[in-house]
Structure formats: C-alpha cells, structure tokens
Amino acid sequence: MIAPFSGRLIVQEVAPRDGLQIEPTWVETLDKIALIDQLSGFGFSRIEAGSFVSPRAVPALRDGEAVFTGIQRVPGTIYVALVPNLKGAQRALESGADELNLVMSASQTHNRANMRMSCEASLAAFGDVVELAQGTSLSLNGTVATAFGCPFEGRIDEERVLGFVDTYLEMGMQGITLADTTGMANPRQVARLVGRVLERLPATDLTLHFHNTRGLGLANVLAAYEVGARRFDAALGGLGGCPFAPGASGNICTEDLVNLCDEVGIETGIDLARLIDLSRTLPRLLGHEVPGQVAKAGRNCDLHLSPDYAKL
Amino acid sequence: MIAPFSGRLIVQEVAPRDGLQIEPTWVETLDKIALIDQLSGFGFSRIEAGSFVSPRAVPALRDGEAVFTGIQRVPGTIYVALVPNLKGAQRALESGADELNLVMSASQTHNRANMRMSCEASLAAFGDVVELAQGTSLSLNGTVATAFGCPFEGRIDEERVLGFVDTYLEMGMQGITLADTTGMANPRQVARLVGRVLERLPATDLTLHFHNTRGLGLANVLAAYEVGARRFDAALGGLGGCPFAPGASGNICTEDLVNLCDEVGIETGIDLARLIDLSRTLPRLLGHEVPGQVAKAGRNCDLHLSPDYAKL
C-alpha cells in the first residue's frame, strides 16, 4: 500500500557534476555556467555544480574554478562541489563552494577502481578535509557509494554500509548520501536500509542517489520516500552513468522524477515545463540522445490533437 | 512501506502482439514463430501471440493464422489473440487461439482514433464475440484501454472505467485488463483504481498492462502488486509503444520486470538469463535498439572483473 504522499521532496540537481563528468564531448565553461544558471532559476535548493578532482582523472570537469566563480549565485540555493581530498577541498573553498561532497565506496574493490585508494586511505583524506572545513562556512556531505551493491563484489553487507554512515557522522559531517552507483538497488532493500539509516540522522540530512541502470530508479525513490527519505539526487535528462555498464541509463532523470511527484501530489517546488524545455536542449549540447523519458513523451497534461476522423 | 512480497506474479508476454504490431520492418512468419516458441520454453503461462485485425490496419501482424497454426503449443501455456470483432474472433477460433482479448478504450476519442468506432459500437461487436465463444473452449478477456489517462482527453473518470469493467463482467468475460495505453498512470492512482477493481473480480482474473512511457512502469507494477494484483503484461525488450508519443518507451520490459521480481523475492517461474539472451537478439531482428535496460546492464549477479590496479 502506498503511504500518504506528504512532505516536500528535495531534488538535488547533479547533471553539472555526475552527468557531465563522463561526457566524451567537451562542454565549454560558458555552456556549463549557462546550464547551472538556468537550473538555479527553476527552484532547485541544491545543485552539485562541479568537482575538484585531478584534471587527468576527470578532464570533462577540469574547469571547476571557472564554473564556480562564473555562476550567478541564487540566494538560498546550495552549490555543492565533489572533492576527493584536501587539495580538492582547498580549491573548492577558494572557488566559493557552499558544501563539499566526499565520496568513498563501501566496496573496497570499487573504491580502489574508482578512487585508486583503499577505503581506509579515503577516510584518512576525509579527516584532513574535516579539519580544513572547521572554522569555515563549508558544510560537508559524506557519500557511501555502492551502498546497495558493487559491480565487482556484488552484495555489500548492510552493517558495513551502516558502519561508514556512523564513521562519517562521528567525523562531523552534516549530510550523508547513500549512492546506488551502478543501479543495483531494489525497492525492498532500499526501504530496509534507508529505514535503518534514518534511525541515525534526520531525513533533512540524508540524500538518496539512485541510478536507473535496471529501470528501478523511480520505484526506489518511492520506496525511500515511503519510509521517510526526503532528499534525492537526480540529473537533467538522466545524464550520467557508469563505465562498467555500457549502454545502460545513468542517474535518475530530474524531469521524470518531478513528473512523478507532480502526478502523485508530492511537492518539489520545481517547474516541470521549464525543466523539460531545458532537457530538450541537451542532445544538441552533448551530441547524443539522453535517457530521460518525460522530455520525449511530454507531461500528461500536454494533450494531443485527435485525428479529424475521431472527432466527436 | 513496501508490503510483504508474497504470491507468484504472472507475466503475460505480449511482445509478439503489442510489441511487433508497430514495427516498421516486416518480421518473417518463421521468425515470429521461433520467437514465440522460445518464449514458450521460458516458463510463461500466457503469451499474447498475435492479432486478427484488418491487415490494412496492422500489416505487421497480417500473418496471424500462419503464426497461430505454426507455433509449438506448450501444454499449460495459454495463447491469446487480440481481436476487434466477430470476423477476427472467427479467424482466431479457426487458428486455435485459447483466449481472445477484446480491446476498447475508456476514452471515446481514443477509441474512435484507435478502433475507428464509438465505445458503444465496440461493445456491440464484443456482444457478437461473446455469443460466438459460447459452447467453445475459448475464454474471453476484456481490456479497458486508456484506463489511467488518454492522450487526447486527459484524465478518465474512474467511475467510467469501473462501469466498463462491470459491463465486461456482465457480458460474461472471464478476464479483465486495465491498460495504461500511453503511460500516463502513476502509482498512487494505480493503487486506488486497482483496489476498487479487485472488489469486483479475483486477482487471478485481472491483468495490468503498463507502458513505461514516462519511466513509471515498474513503480506502477509494485503499486498494483501491493494492493493485490498478480498478473501483468510485459514485452521482451520493452517493445511496443504508441504512435502518439514518439521516441518514448513502449510496454514495460519483460526482463526488467523479472529482474525486479528476482531481486525483491517475488516468484515468476521465468528464467531471467535465457530471457536476456533472447532479448539481445532483438536489435538484429528489428534493425534498431530496444528500450529494455537489464539486457544492456546485465543482472546484478553478473559481476565484472575489477581492473588489475584495483585488485586486493
């Protein structure tokens, strides 16, 4: 049974970071800034606007400084930067990021593949960032990636995930993200794990990051929402993805999520029509179709003209 | 909160009918037969194998007789044919169909656009089919199309949908399908309407037919399952679609649905690995990519080899 749909759902738009980072086509800094500025105008309270990682590791986002200093800051919107270590955190701080997102995989193998270090080394690096953030206005969010499964190791022990959540909180991070990095989560698992995490921190501090790799992204959102989660990452057009699942979908799609919320009566504060218009500009910007479906199908209320022979 | 996942979920495979009917490329009769025969071997208890409509209206399925008489009938599997009227029903009966699916849209405008007649005329034609079926072993299923919304009229009054369900049952049809023809349903609406329909007939006689046009297909399945529905249409590869939503997804994808069931622990009796193998042959058969995602991403248990540098 679907629980009552009450309580605003916060969408954190991540296309400028998690979406663009794997794009093979270079997106000009001014185009990135224009994209973020338009998103800022649509009512998002949080935008992950870029990352400060090695330009060799993620060349697509090597212009983090120019992006963060070039965008129009909308008061009330939190601009987040992904950083892997102290050096990245310093760059993000100097560029005016409001919040740093620190990502480590629960899977040891995935963390080595993705971050090229052990989980222990990642946590040590995060300790330096926590120290840097003290005395600044920066808030910190810790992401547990592969929290619902790892493409190398398979199932991840829930206790291990909860252990990292506890570690992040003990280190002094304000926010926690559980990320289904390669789209392996299912609604039953989501309800159980999210329920346990919400015993540890308030819903206002927890973000769920789902990928739609196996078509379950929005079902997982509903399962998490029904047990109390209220903040979700999503990417315009459903951009993003994982190099380990070629051809599969990326992040859950922002406009598909907002359409779901509009249809079931969950408030997001985001204007779906403008979101769709912007999403429809992505294929030209990126040179390929994008996975989002509502931008192709239109909203339910965008009625079609009936053929003449069917007129009443 | 996700309700307990108990009770087998019946998947009715509809790719040979609802999937192939809009394909612009002609699929040879022998290829259709081979597709159905393989599906029969995978554990499906129901397959919608073709239709008997005007060859001018649906040229892609003009070989209904040859398909139905050419397939290997697996005992226990019900082979369904879609028919619009008495003439189609007679052809289906002569070709050995086990069940006839009669489709009318709840939306007057959509029925005129799709069937080129009014709802009243559709019901009158169904009356002739009911008469024909008496004294034969044919069972009848009545589909209420656009039950969750119409691309021309928008929202459809629930009372109107329930009225047609009642009419079908009064006419003597054994099964009822609620079809979300253009993917406008949302989980909240699904839970409410399906709950009301299940007050009228047992779950064994109700089928839900969802399209994934706006990314909500599997979320709608879960919402329906949670209020008691147990039978769902799905198409291999996510084939199908609607001419009024170009570029958008078609039917919910069989292998994506079975993957969901496997992951949350709902029994289907269908072998996912073989389903994926067959789905991966569709792009060559049809000349284009198909929307299904699990065939691209693989099952969760299909682990990837970690890069050498990440080995522990």
Side-chain angles (χ1 to χ4, degrees):
Chain A
M1 186 59 207
I2 301 289
F5 294 102
S6 64
R8 180 182 274 230
L9 185 150
I10 306 291
V11 185
Q12 175 162 263
E13 173 58 53
V14 301
R17 200 282 299 170
D18 201 16
L20 295 186
Q21 71 175 11
I22 64 156
E23 287 297 328
T25 303
W26 170 249
V27 176
E28 296 293 342
T29 304
L30 286 178
D31 288 329
K32 287 175 181 143
I33 291 170
L35 177 67
I36 296 166
D37 285 347
Q38 286 183 85
L39 291 166
S40 293
F42 292 174
F44 289 98
S45 53
R46 307 183 132 261
I47 299 172
E48 196 167 89
S51 68
F52 294 91
V53 305
S54 152
R56 265 188 307 122
V58 186
L61 299 184
R62 63 178 182 265
D63 53 353
E65 279 86 353
V67 169
F68 266 86
T69 54
I71 56 177
Q72 301 268 358
R73 305 290 283 259
V74 170
T77 298
I78 295 163
Y79 296 87
V80 182
L82 183 141
V83 304
N85 52 31
L86 185 62
K87 187 175 165 203
Q90 280 162 334
R91 291 170 59 203
L93 180 61
E94 286 159 17
S95 305
D98 299 310
E99 180 172 309
L100 306 184
N101 186 20
L102 303 163
V103 178
M104 179 195 66
S105 302
S107 154
Q108 188 71 264
T109 310
H110 193 272
N111 205 58
R112 287 175 181 274
N114 195 39
M115 308 303 290
R116 299 194 173 232
M117 63 178 93
S118 68
C119 293
E120 294 71 24
S122 280
L123 288 176
F126 295 170
D128 298 338
V129 176
V130 170
E131 212 167 295
L132 172 76
Q134 279 161 356
T136 74
S137 61
L138 275 176
S139 65
L140 298 181
N141 184 81
T143 291
V144 185
T146 66
F148 300 90
C150 166
F152 308 122
E153 295 187 10
R155 296 230 163 200
I156 299 293
D157 184 10
E158 260 184 37
E159 300 304 326
R160 183 173 170 88
V161 174
L162 293 169
F164 286 131
V165 170
D166 290 338
T167 301
Y168 282 166
L169 293 174
E170 285 158 17
M171 291 174 80
M173 299 193 196
Q174 291 79 28
I176 300 289
T177 296
L178 298 181
D180 182 27
T181 311
T182 60
M184 296 172 74
N186 71 68
R188 186 182 205 177
Q189 173 193 28
V190 165
R192 191 178 56 228
L193 182 56
V194 170
R196 294 187 69 186
V197 170
L198 285 175
E199 294 166 2
R200 289 164 160 81
L201 76 164
T204 45
D205 295 338
L206 176 65
T207 303
L208 276 302
H209 177 101
F210 292 125
H211 281 226
N212 196 35
T213 319
R214 290 169 180 86
L216 295 177
L218 296 182
N220 287 330
V221 168
L222 279 181
Y225 184 92
E226 285 170 17
V227 297
R230 289 294 180 270
R231 196 200 286 174
F232 296 88
D233 282 350
L236 190 74
L239 294 183
C242 176
F244 306 118
S249 271
N251 289 272
I252 59 167
C253 169
T254 307
E255 61 270 25
D256 293 3
L257 172 60
V258 172
N259 174 67
L260 162 62
C261 292
D262 284 0
E263 290 296 316
V264 299
I266 296 173
E267 190 195 344
T268 64
I270 296 163
D271 184 334
L272 179 56
R274 295 172 70 193
L275 210 48
I276 290 173
D277 286 344
L278 184 59
S279 178
R280 287 175 176 163
T281 69
L282 290 176
R284 207 165 66 159
L285 181 67
L286 303 172
H288 60 78
E289 286 301 309
V290 300
Q293 293 184 228
V294 171
K296 299 186 187 90
R299 300 172 301 176
N300 280 1
C301 60
D302 298 328
L303 298 183
H304 295 246
L305 284 175
S306 64
D308 278 341
Y309 66 83
K311 290 220 168 23
L312 297 177
Chain B
M1 184 60 205
I2 301 287
F5 293 102
S6 65
R8 177 182 276 230
L9 184 151
I10 306 291
V11 185
Q12 175 162 265
E13 173 58 52
V14 301
R17 200 283 298 173
D18 202 17
L20 295 187
Q21 72 176 11
I22 64 156
E23 287 297 329
T25 303
W26 169 248
V27 176
E28 296 292 342
T29 305
L30 286 177
D31 288 330
K32 286 175 182 144
I33 291 170
L35 178 67
I36 295 166
D37 284 347
Q38 286 182 84
L39 291 166
S40 292
F42 292 176
F44 289 99
S45 53
R46 308 182 133 264
I47 299 174
E48 196 167 270
S51 66
F52 293 91
V53 305
S54 153
R56 265 188 306 122
V58 186
L61 299 185
R62 63 178 183 266
D63 53 353
E65 279 87 353
V67 169
F68 265 86
T69 54
I71 55 177
Q72 300 269 354
R73 305 290 284 261
V74 170
T77 299
I78 295 163
Y79 296 88
V80 182
L82 182 141
V83 304
N85 51 30
L86 184 63
K87 188 177 165 199
Q90 280 162 333
R91 291 169 59 201
L93 180 62
E94 285 158 18
S95 305
D98 299 311
E99 181 172 308
L100 306 185
N101 186 20
L102 303 163
V103 178
M104 180 195 66
S105 302
S107 154
Q108 188 71 264
T109 311
H110 192 271
N111 205 59
R112 286 176 181 273
N114 196 39
M115 310 302 293
R116 300 195 173 232
M117 62 178 95
S118 68
C119 294
E120 293 70 23
S122 281
L123 288 176
F126 295 171
D128 298 336
V129 176
V130 170
E131 213 168 294
L132 172 76
Q134 278 162 357
T136 75
S137 62
L138 276 176
S139 65
L140 299 181
N141 184 83
T143 291
V144 185
T146 65
F148 300 90
C150 166
F152 308 121
E153 296 187 9
R155 296 233 164 196
I156 299 294
D157 184 10
E158 260 183 36
E159 300 304 325
R160 183 173 168 87
V161 174
L162 293 169
F164 286 132
V165 170
D166 290 337
T167 301
Y168 282 167
L169 294 173
E170 285 159 16
M171 292 175 78
M173 300 194 196
Q174 290 79 31
I176 300 289
T177 296
L178 298 180
D180 183 27
T181 311
T182 60
M184 296 172 75
N186 71 68
R188 187 181 204 178
Q189 174 192 28
V190 165
R192 191 179 55 229
L193 181 57
V194 171
R196 293 188 69 188
V197 170
L198 285 174
E199 294 166 3
R200 288 164 161 79
L201 76 166
T204 45
D205 295 338
L206 177 65
T207 304
L208 277 302
H209 178 101
F210 292 125
H211 280 227
N212 196 36
T213 319
R214 290 169 180 86
L216 295 177
L218 296 182
N220 287 331
V221 168
L222 280 181
Y225 184 92
E226 286 169 16
V227 296
R230 288 296 178 270
R231 198 201 282 173
F232 296 88
D233 283 349
L236 190 75
L239 295 183
C242 177
F244 308 117
S249 271
N251 288 272
I252 59 167
C253 170
T254 307
E255 61 270 24
D256 293 4
L257 172 60
V258 172
N259 174 69
L260 162 62
C261 291
D262 283 0
E263 290 296 317
V264 299
I266 296 174
E267 190 196 345
T268 63
I270 296 164
D271 183 335
L272 179 57
R274 294 172 70 192
L275 211 48
I276 290 173
D277 286 344
L278 183 59
S279 178
R280 287 175 176 163
T281 68
L282 289 176
R284 207 165 64 161
L285 180 68
L286 303 173
H288 59 79
E289 287 299 311
V290 299
Q293 294 184 228
V294 170
K296 300 187 187 87
R299 299 172 301 176
N300 279 2
C301 60
D302 298 327
L303 298 183
H304 295 245
L305 285 174
S306 64
D308 277 341
Y309 66 83
K311 290 220 168 24
L312 298 177

